[in-house]
Amino acid sequence: MILGIGLIIIGVILLPLGVVSLKESWEEKKDLSFKRKMVVIFLEILDVFSTPILSAWLLGLSLLMIIGGLSVILLKM
């Protein structure tokens, strides 16, 4: 149970770091036209799944820790 709570706490701490990192990467693309933004968004989605990006790793790791912590807590009940 303590392991599950620890995983949830670490996941909640990492989640805002990933969001801030992702937000900073989007600030660079703010002044593009609508069509170019759509292309960039599509390529960013593909890029998240293909290459390691810090923001994607932080978001994925935090979600895995939160889900893992919840599953540990639910299995111990």
Side-chain angles (χ1 to χ4, degrees), residues 2-32:
I2 294 173
L3 176 66
I5 293 171
L7 286 173
I8 291 173
I9 291 172
I10 293 171
V12 169
I13 291 170
L14 287 178
L15 190 62
L17 296 175
V19 171
V20 167
S21 178
L22 187 64
K23 198 177 206 181
E24 286 174 0
S25 71
W26 281 102
E27 289 294 323
E28 301 168 358
K29 299 157 188 77
K30 194 175 190 178
D31 57 342
L32 296 176

Side-chain angles (χ1 to χ4, degrees), residues 7-9 14 49 62-65 69 73:
L7 286 173
I8 291 173
I9 291 172
L14 287 178
F49 293 117
S62 67
L63 291 175
L64 281 174
M65 287 188 161
I73 289 172

